[in-house]
Amino acid sequence: MQVLKKYFKRPPKETLIAYGISIGILLAVFLAVYLIFGRSMTEFITDTESFKQWLDTYKGLSGAIFVFIRAFQTVIKIIPAEPLEIAAGYAFGTWGGLTLCSLGTFLGSLVIVVLARSLGSKFISAFINEEQLKSLNVISNKKNQRLFLFIFYLIPATPKDLLTYAAGSLKMNMAEFFIITTIARIPSIVTSTICGSQLEQNNIKTAAAVFIATALISAVCAFIYNKHKKKDSH
């Protein structure tokens, strides 16, 4: 666990038991929510028309309800992000969906960083193993730190959640971290909300074209990222 020690200060001995109990409770809650609600929530959100009708019942609060769902999804990964982004475009349009997704992601990421900083390395190591943390060692290079963050969050299919959990260890202003990562996420989110918006207008061909183009770009980016990561590991 030398890599973890490098990034995180060991908490005082008297707090380790409290940390362990807190982490155990959090993991138990995450697992319980996933087992009880994961599949049904995914199916519900994937049915974009039903999801929109459900949100409409909250009238003026529909946006706030969606932001809460997005923040919840960011912290507890019981549903995939992209179907939720498509549903946002369907319910709120391209730009409304983008705004609400970005706000929810920011709030969820803020919760993750606060938990990681409050509970320390024991909490982070429950989500990130040593090998995964090693793959993120480039974040310690202050010279290219901001550029790396932007590219990392810009490229689809990179393990963004891992870096968000490790963000508490970054020796940089957290305001900068959130500004850079929020902007970098926009292209990925907006392609999904465009797709959802086109589906709502029954433009099936346009939605399908956007979806296929996004999938191809994601596949190419994932291939380049994995190839580069393997090259760096040798």
Side-chain angles (χ1 to χ4, degrees), residues 65 69 74 124 161:
I65 296 296
I69 294 171
T74 301
I124 295 165
D161 299 329

Side-chain angles (χ1 to χ4, degrees), residues 8-210:
F8 309 105
K9 292 182 179 179
R10 182 181 178 84
K13 290 183 178 180
E14 60 269 20
T15 65
L16 289 178
I17 294 177
Y19 280 175
I21 293 173
S22 299
I23 292 166
I25 292 172
L26 281 170
L27 292 177
V29 170
F30 289 175
L31 181 61
V33 171
Y34 175 77
L35 293 175
I36 296 171
F37 301 110
R39 180 176 296 180
S40 59
M41 286 186 70
T42 300
E43 291 175 351
F44 176 55
I45 289 169
T46 303
D47 185 350
T48 50
E49 180 59 34
S50 296
F51 184 63
K52 182 179 185 299
Q53 290 177 0
W54 177 74
L55 285 172
D56 286 344
T57 62
Y58 291 95
K59 298 180 180 179
L61 294 175
S62 60
I65 296 296
F66 180 85
V67 169
F68 173 80
I69 294 171
R70 176 67 171 187
F72 180 83
Q73 179 270 330
T74 301
V75 179
I76 305 178
K77 297 296 180 182
I78 64 172
I79 53 176
E82 186 152 321
L84 188 57
E85 293 165 2
I86 292 173
Y90 192 96
F92 302 104
T94 298
W95 305 112
L98 170 64
T99 301
L100 295 176
C101 281
S102 297
L103 178 58
T105 301
F106 166 76
L107 293 175
S109 298
L110 184 61
V111 170
I112 291 173
V113 170
V114 169
L115 287 174
R117 286 195 161 186
S118 300
L119 299 178
S121 61
K122 294 293 183 181
F123 173 77
I124 295 165
S125 62
F127 296 90
I128 307 175
N129 61 41
E130 190 168 345
E131 287 302 314
Q132 290 170 326
L133 193 59
K134 282 181 180 178
S135 70
L136 300 177
N137 274 349
V138 68
I139 64 176
S140 63
N141 184 346
K142 295 189 71 173
K143 182 179 179 181
N144 299 316
Q145 194 178 68
R146 293 173 180 81
L147 178 61
F148 169 78
L149 283 174
F150 183 81
I151 294 173
F152 190 87
Y153 280 82
L154 178 68
I155 296 174
T158 54
K160 299 177 181 64
D161 299 329
L162 297 182
L163 188 52
T164 303
Y165 275 100
S169 71
L170 292 176
K171 293 181 179 179
M172 70 176 296
N173 188 300
M174 281 293 102
E176 285 187 5
F177 173 84
F178 284 115
I179 290 171
I180 291 170
T181 57
T182 298
I183 293 172
R185 287 179 188 267
I186 289 175
S188 177
I189 296 174
V190 78
T191 54
S192 295
T193 57
I194 288 173
C195 185
S197 177
Q198 293 301 311
L199 284 174
E200 194 276 333
Q201 297 173 35
N202 207 31
N203 295 330
I204 307 300
K205 290 183 179 180
T206 303
V210 172

